[in-house]
Amino acid sequence: MKLSNIKEILPALDNVEFQLENGTFVPEHFHVTEVGVITKHFIDCGGTIRNEKVVNFQLWNANDFEHRLKPTKLLNIIKLSEEKLGIEDAEIEVEYQSETIGKYDLDFNGNHFILKNKQTACLAQDACGIPAEKQKVKLSDLNNACCTPNSGCC
């Protein structure tokens, strides 16, 4: 989800709620402690130099059980970060602490935001030397007619 998408969704909401893909909700007293830009400049295993830029939201649970982040407050935080940091419309990455700090993509299901698990991947598979995954075939699905006795296949 891009920053422009969340800015379109927030005005229609009464509450800001985040849910992990496993169904667990982020406690409703969470804080957005950071909104920023993360730039990653790196070289992949194939030797290609890459640049990635994401808008980062950090969610934090405090012992502030009465706290509730309202959509207008989050919009104001986003607006301030755009003005002060020059944040552009980019994909959003959310940091949230469970067992460790996790990084999540963001989606919306019509009711609340979904923290989607991110996966690592090789960006240079053609240069990495990893063989292509072989197609699995059930032997019972093969046409055995060519290998019957007297078929001439052997």
Side-chain angles (χ1 to χ4, degrees), residues 89-129:
D89 189 27
E91 290 294 321
I92 297 172
E93 178 180 85
V94 178
E95 288 181 1
Y96 176 64
Q97 175 118 20
S98 47
E99 291 83 33
T100 186
I101 298 171
K103 293 183 177 189
Y104 301 88
D105 286 326
L106 190 62
D107 200 1
F108 186 70
N109 71 2
N111 295 315
H112 44 265
F113 295 101
I114 305 295
L115 301 181
K116 298 185 59 83
N117 297 325
K118 294 183 87 155
Q119 301 292 319
T120 60
C122 177
L123 298 175
Q125 289 186 10
D126 56 329
C128 207

Side-chain angles (χ1 to χ4, degrees), residues 129-145:
I130 298 173
E133 194 171 318
K134 293 181 181 179
Q135 182 179 3
K136 295 182 181 185
V137 177
K138 284 185 178 179
L139 293 177
S140 62
D141 291 344
L142 294 176
N143 183 356
N144 294 326

